[in-house]
Amino acid sequence: MVTVTKICCIGAGYVGGPTMAMIAQKCPDIEVTVVDISQPRIDAWNSSELPIYEPGLDEIVFARRGKNLFFSTDVEGAIRKCEMIFVSVNTPTKKTGLGKGKAADLTYWELAARTIAACSESDKIIVEKSTVPVRTAEAIEKVLQRNCPHEGVRFDILSNPEFLAEGTAMTDLNAPDRVLIGGKIENPEGQAAVDALVEVYANWVPRAQILTANLWSAELSKLAANAFLAQRISSINAMSALCEATGADVKQVSHAIGTDSRIGPKFLNASVGFGGSCFQKDILNLAYICECHGLHEVANYWHSVVGMNDYQKSRFVRRMISAMFNTISGKKIAMLGFAFKKDTGDTRESPAIDVGHGLIEDGAKLNIYDPKVAADQIKMDMGDEAMKRITCCTSHTEALTGAHAVCIMTEWDEFKEYDWEAIYGVMEKPAFVFDGRLILDHQKLKDIGFIVYALGKPLDPFLKGAEGV
């Protein structure tokens, strides 16, 4: 079995950075180098302000950096000297060509593989950390074998999908439900490569929680896990629409079904929709794989999960417009939260983007405040045209002053602590609250004087005459 003393990770993003930081902390005898071709990103990892926000990440990076954790743009040098290479590059949905809007774009993965092949002078264990389609390892193996100039170099490819939730990534890494490692366990060499990675994780993860499988099962498990989680969110969001129509309370429904041990309570919080870099991308990828294998009914099933998510966002916008007398033209709306969830600055596929565009298309002016999302990121997500009607605010008071309505788009804890009576005093009347995350005290808001729409809750009498959905 290979003894791993040096690890290289290609890709210094949301997965690569935190994962390697945890390995460096738990395995002080292993030298860990995170490489990326982006100099600004590496400079940020080497600075006092890391490029991503994740609770607990700063402390670990600052403690291990310069000891056994390094960040560099010397990709080739790091590849040459290590025994194990994690590949954690972006695999977005294709925007053009065959599979547009469905298939995963493996451009960065293939470039990484070609670089690994060109630089490797000794045997390497390659670990897929990026989310990839089933049987990607097979294709990457061919790229590696045909592009390595040195005879006799062996490449063993493993799949080690990440199951991290942004906002709790360091907790997830420190005490994972399971670690899944896929490899060619049917032959001794493949089993030895799997065992080498098992030994790395065994420094802090109980061996009973380190699962091994064949390559294809591991690759598919990641897509399946995200699809199942997104499916639960879309299911409870579908129920939220029915709850509003019938007078039921989605929180009570969620609690009732979540206490069933066969179902469980997790991922049953109704909201304006799911976001993040994985759910939609992985479902579309899964559906595309199904289509490629002629499983059209299966593909349609998974497409419906994304369709329900889109419906929930558009339904929220329509509810806001209808409540505000069917016109929001020229009205100022405060948007609290822009990240796709709390405890992260990540805005990828955030529901706030689509909701924001929907409101702007109907003529609204937006004041956006998020405690962890920079104005430059909001501009990048919304585009120059939309930014003509957007003000990025540095405080909630700035965002809310003079607003006709406020919509809660991210479940940041600080939003619950605001002085909502004072907020009512600085807003236009009637003052509307649209809670897309169900985090506020709705009865207290009504007592203050707000007209409240709480997603999936019995409708305020004021809203019943303005159905519009």
Side-chain angles (χ1 to χ4, degrees):
M1 185 181 69
V2 177
T3 300
V4 177
T5 61
K6 292 182 174 64
I7 288 175
C8 162
C9 176
I10 301 176
Y14 279 92
V15 175
T19 301
M20 294 303 109
M22 184 60 67
I23 290 177
Q25 182 195 46
K26 300 295 186 178
C27 309
D29 294 331
I30 296 179
E31 181 181 307
V32 180
T33 304
V34 183
V35 295
D36 200 291
I37 59 174
S38 170
Q39 186 68 56
R41 177 169 283 267
I42 291 300
D43 288 344
W45 278 108
N46 284 318
S47 73
S48 59
E49 288 193 21
L50 304 186
I52 63 174
Y53 171 73
E54 193 65 47
L57 176 62
D58 289 23
E59 294 88 337
I60 295 176
V61 171
F62 297 156
R64 303 312 309 172
R65 195 172 60 192
K67 296 176 182 176
N68 70 322
L69 177 63
F70 305 91
F71 298 92
S72 172
T73 56
D74 183 9
V75 179
E76 296 179 1
I79 290 172
R80 286 193 189 95
K81 68 180 184 179
C82 72
E83 299 95 13
M84 182 175 285
I85 304 168
F86 285 75
V87 181
S88 186
V89 296
N90 195 17
T91 53
T93 302
K94 288 184 72 173
K95 295 182 178 179
T96 59
L98 184 66
K100 173 185 176 182
K102 301 176 183 179
D105 186 345
L106 299 178
T107 300
Y108 299 119
W109 222 121
E110 184 177 340
L111 287 172
R114 291 181 182 278
T115 303
I116 292 168
C119 301
S120 295
E121 300 171 354
S122 58
D123 295 351
K124 307 292 181 188
I125 298 173
I126 315 297
V127 183
E128 291 178 341
K129 206 66 184 168
S130 306
T131 304
V132 295
V134 182
R135 304 196 81 90
T136 294
E138 195 171 55
I140 294 303
E141 187 174 33
K142 293 175 183 176
V143 173
L144 290 165
Q145 290 173 344
R146 287 171 168 78
N147 288 275
C148 183
H150 303 285
E151 288 188 18
V153 173
R154 177 181 176 84
F155 297 102
D156 286 291
I157 303 179
L158 306 180
S159 174
N160 177 217
E162 54 85 12
F163 297 103
L164 307 179
E166 288 186 49
T168 59
M170 303 316 292
T171 301
D172 297 340
L173 286 164
N174 184 57
D177 291 337
R178 79 295 200 197
V179 171
L180 178 59
I181 301 171
K184 292 187 176 181
I185 54 178
E186 63 276 8
N187 64 60
E189 294 84 358
Q191 184 63 58
V194 168
D195 290 343
L197 185 53
V198 167
E199 288 302 314
V200 172
Y201 281 112
N203 281 282
W204 78 97
V205 180
R207 288 182 182 269
Q209 290 167 231
I210 303 175
L211 313 180
T212 60
N214 67 42
L215 266 173
W216 326 130
S217 297
E219 288 180 337
L220 182 56
S221 294
K222 169 60 176 176
L223 297 179
N226 279 343
F228 272 57
L229 293 174
Q231 174 198 55
R232 285 175 69 94
I233 297 172
S234 280
S235 294
I236 198 63
N237 282 345
M239 294 306 301
S240 75
L242 184 59
C243 285
E244 290 173 28
T246 60
D249 185 323
V250 74
K251 278 210 164 184
Q252 294 176 10
V253 172
S254 173
H255 178 69
I257 63 177
T259 53
D260 186 326
S261 61
R262 298 168 300 173
I263 298 173
K266 293 185 177 180
F267 282 79
L268 288 180
N269 295 318
S271 69
V272 68
F274 59 73
S277 64
C278 291
F279 280 1
Q280 177 165 308
K281 178 191 74 170
D282 289 355
I283 293 173
L284 293 175
N285 189 3
L286 182 62
Y288 181 69
I289 293 169
C290 293
E291 289 174 355
C292 291
H293 287 278
L295 303 174
H296 301 293
E297 291 80 5
V298 181
N300 290 339
Y301 173 76
W302 290 115
H303 276 305
S304 71
V305 173
V306 176
M308 178 53 62
N309 196 53
D310 292 337
Y311 166 74
Q312 186 77 336
K313 290 180 284 189
S314 63
R315 190 173 77 84
F316 189 77
V317 172
R318 294 198 304 273
R319 180 70 79 187
M320 290 182 67
I321 294 170
S322 65
M324 298 172 71
F325 317 110
N326 282 312
T327 177
I328 56 174
S329 181
K331 292 179 180 177
K332 184 187 294 183
I333 297 176
M335 180 178 281
L336 294 185
F338 197 80
F340 84 91
K341 63 182 287 188
K342 72 173 185 176
D343 292 333
T344 181
D346 194 353
T347 63
R348 288 175 290 181
E349 302 293 344
S350 173
I353 299 171
D354 286 339
V355 170
H357 280 299
L359 296 173
I360 288 170
E361 285 172 9
D362 226 69
K365 298 177 181 177
L366 298 186
N367 281 8
I368 300 176
Y369 167 69
D370 188 290
K372 291 296 179 182
V373 179
D376 287 347
Q377 184 61 52
I378 294 173
K379 181 178 180 180
M380 189 182 304
D381 290 327
M382 296 302 294
D384 292 337
E385 189 62 32
M387 288 304 297
K388 294 175 182 178
R389 303 189 68 83
I390 294 174
T391 300
C392 296
C393 303
T394 57
S395 70
H396 73 280
T397 304
E398 180 188 356
L400 290 157
T401 300
H404 291 78
V406 52
C407 57
I408 308 297
M409 299 305 299
T410 310
E411 68 277 23
W412 287 106
D413 291 334
E414 70 174 66
F415 298 163
K416 295 182 282 188
E417 308 302 323
Y418 291 163
D419 183 346
W420 284 95
E421 197 158 349
I423 288 170
Y424 183 75
V426 299
M427 289 179 66
E428 297 291 328
K429 309 299 184 296
F432 295 85
V433 172
F434 299 93
D435 189 354
R437 294 292 180 174
L438 300 182
I439 61 170
L440 302 180
D441 185 334
H442 303 129
Q443 188 56 53
K444 181 179 178 182
L445 293 173
K446 291 176 183 178
D447 292 342
I448 291 171
F450 286 103
I451 297 167
V452 179
Y453 166 64
L455 194 147
K457 297 272 192 171
L459 292 178
D460 186 296
F462 186 95
L463 301 174
K464 284 185 177 179
E467 181 62 30
V469 176

